[in-house]
RNA sequence: GCGAGAGUGGCGGAACUGGUAGACGCGCUGGACUUAGGAUCCAGUGGGAUAACCCGUGGGGGUUCGAGUCCCCCCUCUCGCACCA
């Protein structure tokens, strides 16, 4: 009687072994070839979810595989530990954010260890520790020195009732998430990082990324940066010295400008508008997308191109943050201007005609395409592209303005009116003004004694001990900055911190130059823009202050799909858990339930699967294997209860096969492997499997097909009946190979069975198997014979026949003769070693 | 609206540069072993016709000896951006 597969017993045994022997510890041995495998670190929200399991299972396969291939692999893990949920927990349950965070970390760390991921925990990074955030502050000071960090007034979401600043995700339908009061925009001085200084470089850098990043992510980065070329020029205000500077990408439509629009917060809007209450009303509608609203200032501007007097309006859809905060409006050729002109009865003048035909007036919508310029003085008759160029030159030559490039990308506002974050190392002194905290005084510690209420401007401003300080410059009384940093700052460089050991400072260039850049980064697409862009920005800043010698932090990026599951909905009780349903009816009210769509797992939709439950029921190996087998990594994965049973069954079969044959396997020597008539098919399959699995991992991270190949190998092994020592040598070769191939996917069971067949641990320290191309080749092929493109016969023929021989074989086939039936043959196509197509 | 991606058996998914569509798994059917089996093992499984055969990769055209794969048009779904002048 063989031992039954008991995942928990096996997994705990090997996890203990790995930990005791420090198998996952990565030496800083700078002479070996390196591989840096990084997965996005989690926010310690409480427990890991299936998204984490999938993400980290993918990363672990890559890390273990690369290690077996002989690389010195850096595979670290840490915690994105600052953030809002910790503060909410404090407000709701009275537990200190630090306590809440560290307890969550402890729990989740145990879960990750229980999954058997091969992390070097000695390099663990926790961003809320002073040793970590000290460097956030250090980078901030460096940026301040270089003029890359600056302070300016900006708007925040403000709840008048709670008297507090709200994050975007705390604004629900324009109201406060807690009290539903309407959220208003309040202006506060805040700190910004000048990412726009790197806009062009970040855009150019996208070229370099294309090799290793998914194209759609690169596109998203490009769009986010949003480069547009145009001109900036002044429109003088009639009867005054004032000028309105506008930006346009369509200088070819200048003659079609029939009014000018200012953003409601534009400085001239106040100056030019008589009716202040109306202006305030427009301001309150700023950025509301539903309806365009405007206000005529009563003043006019002069179009410098044709001297025309056109009205100046204030419009809610004009953004102060982009361009100059003012636009010329060409309703005939811009849909937004068109809608605005229609609403307020402003003139619409066509100045671009399509290449073919003529626009029908009055227009029903704006004609936005390029075309031929008309009604535009000396520029009439040119096409749009030519006109843009010539008008741009004209404007510059006459000092009316300049050709200009604008970016959609804006500077990064990092101030948060929050407690649980990195204090911004700045002091305000009555006599010296803004004074940076000297490096020697870092870190500016986050005080512990805080009461969080969720009210008031910034929690730190309540703590007298914290705010009151002395000016580093004059020694007089001064007050500290009370805002903390956006947590994206923490995640913009954490991958550097892993490179050095925990005791040392993070900016040792030797270690950084050896490990960086990250060879493979893995995470969700939700970070396709911000986190990745900020990291690319930080990397460049650090390069420019001489710490790094490259620009792109992540060479290859893999964005894994979401983990989804079917949802169930009761017409009365909403989303239901699977065990709230019996015979397709809700157990509460008996109504028939709707088996809903497959959606991303989320607690609110009650379609989650808890990793703890899976580990308990099936073990870590099965959980990992299924999440890698059910779909290719970048696609969404649909959860299936039967699917995981299948994965579990497979491991169980592998277990049984090895256990049943344990004695002969153990008593067979590894080499030589004797191939004979009886076992050559299996031997070939082994070589083919090594090839397939290796290529699937190496070339395209196709873990699902790699696993399928291992299942095929297993099927071959389990139907093999060894009858001689030679057979056993091949059997052992096959089992040994299967265990090695499977070990990155299911590390525990393979480690155990590795020992069962008489090998010594750890399987992770074994070299990856290699295949022999000659032995992987099939001696015979199945020749497909088509007549007029339809398969009519299949024949087994020796491999390596010439085209001519294949043609002869095809034409002499009895079945094929019937189809040809004496008709003349027009053509015969031979696909080498595969197929013959006879055209009649 | 713009941009990207995807539509293949009952289901998840295979199919490298155009060359046997449906690998592998799930489910289903039949059988074996069992007091029993929702455990395990064996066999079968795209649809249709009792066989030779016909039809099949969202729909419609096209290129080709040959199309899931290439080109054009259309439909559906998912994701991202969304007044960026």
């Amino acid at each position: 009687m063989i031992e039954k597969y008991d995942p928990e017993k096996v997994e705990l045994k090997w996890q203990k072994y790995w930990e005791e022997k420090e198998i996952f510890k990565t030496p800083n041995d700078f002479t070996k070839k390196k591989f840096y495998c990084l997965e996005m670190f989690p926010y310690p929200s409480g427990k890991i979810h299936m998204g984490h399991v999938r993400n980290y299972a993918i990363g672990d396969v890559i890390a273990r595989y690369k290690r077996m291939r002989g690389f010195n692999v850096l595979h670290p893990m840490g915690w994105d530990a600052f953030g809002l949920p910790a503060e909410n927990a404090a407000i709701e349950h009275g537990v200190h954010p630090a306590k809440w965070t560290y307890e969550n970390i402890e729990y989740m760390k145990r879960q990750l260890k229980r999954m058997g991921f091969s992390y070097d925990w000695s390099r663990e990074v926790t961003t809320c520790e002073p040793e970590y955030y000290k460097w956030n502050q250090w980078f901030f000071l460096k940026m301040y020195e270089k003029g890359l960090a600056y302070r300016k007034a900006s708007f925040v979401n403000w709840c008048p009732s709670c008297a507090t600043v709200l994050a975007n995700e705390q604004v629900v339908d324009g109201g406060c998430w807690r009290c539903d009061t309407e959220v208003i925009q309040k202006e506060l001085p805040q700190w910004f990082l000048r990412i726009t200084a790197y806009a062009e470089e970040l855009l150019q850098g996208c070229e370099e990324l294309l090799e290793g990043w998914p194209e759609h992510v690169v596109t998203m980065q490009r769009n986010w940066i949003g480069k547009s070329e145009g001109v900036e020029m002044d429109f003088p205000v009639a009867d005054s010295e004032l000028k309105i500077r506008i930006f346009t990408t369509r200088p070819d439509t200048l003659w079609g400008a029939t009014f000018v629009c200012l953003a409601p917060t534009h400085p001239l809007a106040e100056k030019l508008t008589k009716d202040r209450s109306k202006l305030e009303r427009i301001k309150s509608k700023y950025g509301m997308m539903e309806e365009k609203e405007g206000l005529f200032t009563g003043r006019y501007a002069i179009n410098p191109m044709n001297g025309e007097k056109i009205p100046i309006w204030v419009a809610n859809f004009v953004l102060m943050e982009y361009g100059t905060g003012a636009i010329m409006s060409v309703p005939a050729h811009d849909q937004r201007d068109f809608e605005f002109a229609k609403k307020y009865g402003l003139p619409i003048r066509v100045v671009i005609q399509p290449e073919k035909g003529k626009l029908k007036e009055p227009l029903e919508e704006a004609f936005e395409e390029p075309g031929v310029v008309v009604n535009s003085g000396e520029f009439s008759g040119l096409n749009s592209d030519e006109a843009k160029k010539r008008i741009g030159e004209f404007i510059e030559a006459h000092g009316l303005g300049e050709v200009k490039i604008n970016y959609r990308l804006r500077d990064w506002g990092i101030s948060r009116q929050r407690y649980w974050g990195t204090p911004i190392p700045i002091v305000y002194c009555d006599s010296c003004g803004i004074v940076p905290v000297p490096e020697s005084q870092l870190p500016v510690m986050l005080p512990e004694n805080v009461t969080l209420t969720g009210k008031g401007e910034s929690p730190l401003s309540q703590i007298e001990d914290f705010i009151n300080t002395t000016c580093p410059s004059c020694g007089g009384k001064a007050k500290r900055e009370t805002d903390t940093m956006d947590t994206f700052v923490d995640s913009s460089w954490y991958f550097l911190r892993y490179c050095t050991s925990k005791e040392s400072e993070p900016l040792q260039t030797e270690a950084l130059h050896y490990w960086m850049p990250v060879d493979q980064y893995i995470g969700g697409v939700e970070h396709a823009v911000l986190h990745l862009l900020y990291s690319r920005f930080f990397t460049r800043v650090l390069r420019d202050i001489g710490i790094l010698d490259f620009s792109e932090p992540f060479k290859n990026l893999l964005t894994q799909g979401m983990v989804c599951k079917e949802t169930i909905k009761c017409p009365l009780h909403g989303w239901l858990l699977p065990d709230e349903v019996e015979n397709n009816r809700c157990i509460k009210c008996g109504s028939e339930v709707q088996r809903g769509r497959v959606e991303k797992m989320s607690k609110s939709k009650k379609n989650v699967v808890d990793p703890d439950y899976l580990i308990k029921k099936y073990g870590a190996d099965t959980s990992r294997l299924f999440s890698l087998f059910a779909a290719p990594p970048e696609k969404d994965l649909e959860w299936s209860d039967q699917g995981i049973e299948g994965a579990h069954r497979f491991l169980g079969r592998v277990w049984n096969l090895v256990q049943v044959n344990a004695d002969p396997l153990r008593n067979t020597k590894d080499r030589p492997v004797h191939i004979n008539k009886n076992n050559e098919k299996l031997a070939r399959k082994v070589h083919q499997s090594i090839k397939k699995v290796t290529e699937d991992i190496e070339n395209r991270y196709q873990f699902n097909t790699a696993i399928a190949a291992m299942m095929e190998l297993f099927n071959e092994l389990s139907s093999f009946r060894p009858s001689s020592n030679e057979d056993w040598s091949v059997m052992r070769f096959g089992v040994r190979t299967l265990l090695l191939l499977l070990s990155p996917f299911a590390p525990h069971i393979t480690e155990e069975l590795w020992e069962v067949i008489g090998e010594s641990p750890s399987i992770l320290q074994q070299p990856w198997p290699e295949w022999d191309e000659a032995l992987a080749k099939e001696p015979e092929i199945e020749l497909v014979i088509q007549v007029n493109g339809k398969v009519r016969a299949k024949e087994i023929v020796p491999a390596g026949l010439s085209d001519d021989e294949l043609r002869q074989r095809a034409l002499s086939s009895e079945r094929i003769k019937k189809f040809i039936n004496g008709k003349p043959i027009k053509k015969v196509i031979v696909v080498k070693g595969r197929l013959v197509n006879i055209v009649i």
Side-chain angles (χ1 to χ4, degrees), chain A residues 324-538:
Chain A
T324 58
I327 59 167
M328 66 161 185
S329 290
V330 185
H333 305 293
D334 183 292
Q335 188 57 27
R336 295 157 298 179
D337 297 345
F338 182 85
E339 285 163 23
F340 193 79
K342 276 276 176 203
K343 177 165 179 180
Y344 292 104
L346 293 158
I348 298 169
R349 188 193 307 144
V350 171
V351 292
I352 304 284
Q353 287 287 359
E355 298 278 352
K356 282 180 201 144
K358 232 181 150 201
L359 294 174
K360 205 176 109 221
E361 292 185 67
L363 298 180
E364 278 176 16
E365 56 177 10
F367 174 70
E368 297 187 312
E369 262 95 298
V372 180
V373 175
V374 297
N375 297 327
S376 301
E378 58 180 292
F379 298 100
S380 296
L382 296 174
N383 68 39
S384 289
D385 279 348
E386 186 67 18
K388 278 184 192 170
K389 217 178 112 207
R390 295 267 290 274
I391 292 171
E393 286 160 10
F394 180 91
I395 288 167
E396 292 201 323
H398 291 76
L400 300 172
E402 57 185 346
V403 174
K404 172 115 198 210
I405 292 166
N406 256 315
Y407 299 91
R408 201 189 87 110
L409 180 69
R410 285 171 219 164
D411 280 339
W412 174 12
I414 57 157
S415 288
R416 295 292 181 273
Q417 292 69 39
R418 298 286 163 201
Y419 165 71
W420 195 232
T422 305
I424 295 174
I426 286 288
V427 157
Y428 301 99
C429 167
D430 282 341
S431 42
C432 309
I434 297 176
V435 182
V437 173
E439 272 180 43
S440 60
Q441 291 179 23
L442 297 185
V444 175
M445 296 286 286
L446 187 65
E448 278 171 32
N449 57 330
V450 65
T451 3
L452 295 164
T453 57
K455 304 211 168 182
E457 262 189 26
S458 176
L460 290 182
S461 61
Q462 322 291 317
I463 307 171
E464 295 295 322
D465 289 354
F466 176 78
I467 35 177
N468 296 319
T469 184
T470 52
C471 171
S473 174
C474 69
K477 273 194 179 168
K479 289 199 184 301
R480 284 191 192 279
E481 167 67 57
T482 57
D483 284 352
T484 52
M485 293 185 200
D486 179 7
T487 54
F488 273 119
V489 173
D490 311 340
S491 54
S492 293
W493 69 280
Y494 75 106
F495 42 89
L496 300 177
R497 190 65 186 94
Y498 291 135
C499 296
T500 48
S501 65
K502 245 191 145 174
E503 294 71 35
S504 58
E505 296 207 333
L507 302 179
Q508 285 178 356
T509 48
E510 198 190 2
L512 290 176
H513 290 190
Y514 172 70
W515 285 116
M516 289 294 294
V518 172
D519 294 281
Q520 184 62 58
Y521 198 25
I522 308 141
V525 235
E526 62 272 23
H527 294 112
V529 180
L530 293 182
H531 161 59
L532 293 172
L533 192 67
Y534 293 150
S535 300
R536 296 179 62 216
F537 164 58
F538 255 66

Side-chain angles (χ1 to χ4, degrees), chain A residues 57 60-61 64 620-625 628-629 693 697 702-704 706-707 710 740-748 750 768:
Chain A
D60 205 43
V61 170
R64 284 173 181 268
D621 282 339
T622 296
S623 307
R624 297 167 56 129
L625 190 72
L628 294 162
F629 179 60
V693 173
I697 298 176
Q702 285 260 350
F703 304 127
N704 55 334
I707 294 168
M710 291 186 256
L740 288 168
L741 296 178
L742 188 58
S743 70
F745 300 81
H748 311 85
T750 48
W768 188 253

